[in-house]
């Protein structure tokens, strides 16, 4: 089944890239991503434990039905319409003001710790301890925690790709500086490396948007100063790579290749171990609650404040959700991991094999629909939505179903005030 899974992923990738004819085809990227993950996991490098055949079976099913969902969206002429997008600049500046002002106390505390000679890795460890309920020198107050979860992180996730899109659209350096400022805030207050990687992905994707246009050479000859912007963006890659390398070494990771292997193909190993744990629990499926936790949790919290408690199904699902974060499992004799169970695990918990099929169809349909809107019109909204969805959700499918995270799910909600959309179906 392992070889068949790898072959199915490769075939689906070829089909996806062929029908979309773009390097950023959602079907193509999703399929080729799981091709590399499955191929790498099958090698069992660095003493990775053997992965059960059933894991590869579920992945093959997920990729096939993701393709089917994408094809349904592609042939559905009513899935999108002609759009008129109005970008509200006032909301943009309000969001930026909110992030800068409310993040100020946290930023002050972390900078104070850094001035004491501590590293960003130390900040990262303090952030992890704070998330576990342990008080540290950068622990947020209760109000700050609420604002961070419900407002700041969702806005941060949205504003970085939006600022980068605006930079390429308007060709004004102030939007790039805003994106870098937001990246700085995120990096300093969390110490995480993933924000740097995401920033680079957003930059690369927008460069692809430019160079896929056949008129780009004419445009560059007419606007030679734009070449300077492209060179500037390429130069940003150098400090980013250096910074990631430094942070990696500070965390005690001596073998960078091994770390990458466990982080990406190793996700299938965590999926395998967590799947065994889940099957041993013999609890009912979550019927979509696990995958949609990012949207459902705020609603449940609101009703809890009104004295209305959720049902037993939600409580069990929430407990399972927290166990993914807090209960690491060994995937080799020397390495244990958590969280990274792939989106396929979430679909399985939602509804078993049927959940994998239905969840993958819906996932593929939504992905292709967002892609179709982008191809119909490369507006600020469509470019921001696609950039965020591709980089922050689709390309993180090796980790989880990303909208299970509240700060990612709510980013879509905060996008609504930014744009006024009129849709006419044809």
């Amino acid at each position: 089944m392992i070889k068949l899974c790898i072959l199915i992923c490769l075939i689906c990738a070829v089909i996806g890239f062929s029908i979309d004819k773009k390097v950023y085809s959602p079907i193509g990227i999703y399929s080729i991503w799981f091709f590399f993950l499955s191929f790498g996991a099958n090698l069992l490098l660095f003493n990775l434990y053997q992965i059960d055949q059933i894991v590869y079976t579920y992945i093959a099913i997920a990729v096939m039905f993701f393709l089917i969902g994408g094809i349904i969206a592609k042939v559905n002429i009513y899935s999108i319409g002609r759009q008129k997008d109005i970008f509200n600049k006032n909301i943009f500046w309000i969001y930026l003001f909110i992030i800068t002002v409310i993040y100020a106390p946290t930023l002050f505390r972390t900078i104070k710790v850094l001035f004491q000679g501590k590293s960003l890795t130390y900040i990262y460890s303090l952030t992890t301890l704070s998330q576990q309920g342990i008080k540290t020198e950068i622990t947020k107050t209760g109000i700050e925690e609420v604002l961070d979860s419900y407002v700041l992180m969702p806005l941060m996730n949205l504003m970085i790709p939006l600022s980068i899109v605006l930079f390429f659209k308007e060709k004004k350096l102030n939007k790039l500086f805003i994106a870098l400022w937001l990246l700085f805030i995120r990096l300093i207050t969390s110490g995480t490396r993933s924000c740097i990687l995401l920033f680079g992905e957003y930059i690369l994707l927008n460069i692809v948007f430019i160079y896929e246009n056949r008129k780009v050479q004419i445009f560059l000859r007419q606007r030679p100063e734009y070449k300077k912007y492209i060179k500037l963006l390429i130069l940003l890659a150098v400090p980013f790579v250096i910074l990631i390398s430094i942070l990696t070494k500070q965390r005690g990771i001596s073998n960078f290749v091994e770390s990458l292997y466990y982080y990406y193909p190793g996700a299938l190993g965590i999926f395998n171990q967590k799947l065994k744990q889940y099957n041993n629990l013999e609890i009912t499926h979550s019927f979509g609650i696990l995958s949609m936790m990012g949207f459902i949790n705020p609603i449940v919290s609101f009703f809890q404040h009104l004295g209305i408690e959720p049902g037993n199904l939600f409580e069990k699902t929430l407990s399972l959700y927290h166990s993914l974060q807090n209960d690491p499992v060994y995937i080799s004799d020397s390495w244990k991991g958590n969280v990274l169970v792939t989106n396929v695990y979430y679909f399985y918990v939602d509804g078993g094999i049927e959940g994998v099929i239905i969840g993958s169809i819906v996932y593929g349909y939504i992905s292709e629909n967002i892609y179709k809107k982008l191809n119909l019109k490369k507006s600020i909204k469509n470019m921001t939505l696609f950039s965020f969805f591709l980089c922050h959700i689709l390309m993180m499918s090796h980790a989880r179903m990303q909208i299970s995270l509240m700060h990612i799910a709510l980013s879509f909600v905060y996008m609504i005030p930014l744009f006024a959309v009129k849709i006419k179906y044809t």
Side-chain angles (χ1 to χ4, degrees):
M1 185 59 210
I2 299 176
K3 293 181 180 179
L4 180 59
C5 171
I6 294 172
L7 180 61
I8 288 173
C9 291
L10 183 59
I11 292 174
C12 290
V14 172
I15 294 173
F17 287 124
S18 298
I19 62 178
D20 284 334
K21 296 180 174 59
K22 303 286 186 181
V23 294
Y24 50 85
S25 159
I27 300 172
I29 289 178
Y30 184 77
S31 303
I32 202 69
W33 192 226
F34 274 105
F35 164 79
F36 285 120
L37 294 175
S38 301
F39 181 82
N42 181 48
L43 297 177
L44 299 177
L45 301 178
F46 304 106
N47 299 314
L48 181 69
Y49 291 156
Q50 185 70 44
I51 298 171
D52 295 338
Q53 297 281 335
I54 194 65
V55 169
Y56 293 100
T57 301
Y58 290 150
I59 288 175
I61 292 172
V63 171
M64 283 191 298
F65 282 94
F66 184 94
L67 169 64
I68 291 172
I71 292 175
I72 292 173
K74 184 165 284 292
V75 301
N76 181 11
I77 61 174
Y78 299 104
S79 61
I80 60 173
R82 295 177 181 176
Q83 305 173 37
K84 184 178 180 180
D85 299 345
I86 302 173
F87 172 59
N88 193 323
K89 293 184 179 180
N90 292 329
I91 298 295
F92 173 85
W93 293 112
I94 290 172
Y95 281 176
L96 180 62
F97 177 80
I98 291 173
I99 293 173
T100 302
V101 171
I102 301 182
Y103 251 125
T106 303
L107 191 61
F108 175 79
R109 287 194 295 267
T110 52
I111 290 178
K112 183 179 179 181
V113 172
L114 291 174
F115 279 158
Q116 294 173 355
K118 304 297 183 181
S119 66
L120 284 175
T121 299
Y122 181 74
I123 298 295
Y124 176 79
S125 64
L126 293 182
T127 302
T128 303
L129 290 173
S130 296
Q131 291 172 349
Q132 295 172 355
I134 302 173
K135 190 173 182 180
T136 69
E137 34 282 54
I138 66 169
T139 297
K140 302 179 180 69
T141 64
I143 295 177
E144 287 175 333
E145 287 286 357
V146 171
L147 289 174
D148 191 55
S149 299
Y150 286 88
V151 181
L152 296 179
M153 280 300 296
L155 287 181
M156 182 76 74
N157 292 334
L158 172 62
M159 288 289 286
I160 290 179
L162 174 57
S163 299
I164 292 173
V165 167
L166 289 173
F167 164 69
F168 279 93
K169 278 282 190 179
E170 299 176 356
K171 295 169 282 295
K172 294 180 180 179
L173 278 174
N174 69 321
K175 296 303 188 298
L176 178 61
F177 292 146
I178 289 172
L180 289 170
W181 166 245
L182 295 173
L183 174 64
F184 171 79
I185 294 176
R186 176 65 177 143
L187 182 62
I188 293 298
T189 57
S190 68
T192 181
R193 297 168 296 175
S194 60
C195 59
I196 304 174
L197 181 61
L198 278 170
F199 191 95
E201 290 175 1
Y202 290 139
I203 294 289
L204 180 60
L205 182 60
N206 279 270
I207 290 177
V208 170
F209 288 153
I210 291 177
Y211 277 94
E212 71 174 358
N213 188 343
R214 294 181 179 179
K215 298 179 181 179
V216 68
Q217 296 301 326
I218 298 175
F219 175 75
L220 289 176
R221 284 197 293 270
Q222 292 174 344
R223 301 288 298 274
E225 75 277 7
Y226 199 76
K227 293 181 180 180
K228 297 179 181 179
Y229 294 159
I230 299 297
K231 291 178 181 179
L232 174 63
L233 297 174
I234 294 175
L235 288 175
L236 286 175
V238 176
F240 283 176
V241 171
I242 294 174
L243 185 55
I244 290 176
S245 300
I246 292 173
L247 292 175
T248 300
K249 290 181 179 179
Q250 286 180 350
R251 294 187 187 181
I253 300 173
S254 57
N255 191 329
F256 187 65
V257 176
E258 179 181 4
S259 175
L260 284 177
Y261 182 78
Y262 280 125
Y263 188 81
Y264 292 106
L268 272 62
I270 303 175
F271 179 11
N272 186 58
Q273 299 299 327
K274 286 294 184 179
L275 185 62
K276 291 178 181 178
Q277 289 183 355
Y278 173 76
N279 289 331
N280 290 333
L281 292 175
E282 297 182 352
I283 62 175
T284 183
H285 294 299
S286 65
F287 302 103
I289 294 177
L290 185 62
S291 292
M292 298 292 291
M293 184 64 73
F295 291 108
I296 296 174
N297 205 14
I299 298 174
V300 171
S301 298
F302 173 77
F303 282 106
Q304 282 181 317
H305 282 92
L306 298 178
I308 304 174
E309 294 298 325
N312 189 46
L313 177 60
F314 177 81
E315 293 293 348
K316 287 184 177 180
T317 305
L318 184 61
S319 177
L320 181 64
Y321 175 81
H322 288 311
S323 72
L324 294 175
Q325 175 70 43
N326 302 322
D327 300 328
V329 292
Y330 277 97
I331 56 176
S332 75
D333 292 337
S334 59
W335 194 283
K336 61 181 179 180
N338 56 358
V339 177
L340 309 175
V341 292
T342 79
N343 65 296
V344 184
Y345 172 86
Y346 281 68
F347 292 157
Y348 180 80
V349 172
D350 283 337
I353 185 65
E354 295 86 358
V356 174
I357 293 172
I358 296 172
S360 297
I361 290 175
V362 174
Y363 197 18
Y365 182 89
I366 293 174
S367 301
E368 188 65 26
N369 206 39
I370 293 174
Y371 168 82
K372 284 176 66 177
K373 290 179 180 179
L374 176 72
N375 277 343
L376 183 68
K377 183 180 181 181
K378 283 189 171 59
S379 63
I380 294 173
K381 176 190 175 183
N382 291 342
M383 291 176 69
T384 302
L385 176 60
F386 184 82
S387 298
F388 177 71
F389 188 87
L390 180 69
C391 299
H392 217 126
I393 297 180
L394 201 66
M395 292 187 67
M396 291 295 290
S397 294
H398 71 285
R400 61 173 75 81
M401 191 64 221
Q402 287 287 83
I403 57 173
S404 66
L405 297 173
M406 188 166 61
H407 66 266
I408 291 180
L410 291 181
S411 296
F412 292 101
V413 177
Y414 285 110
M415 186 177 289
I416 296 173
L418 278 167
F419 304 96
V421 183
K422 296 180 180 179
I423 301 178
K424 295 181 180 180
Y425 287 100
T426 58

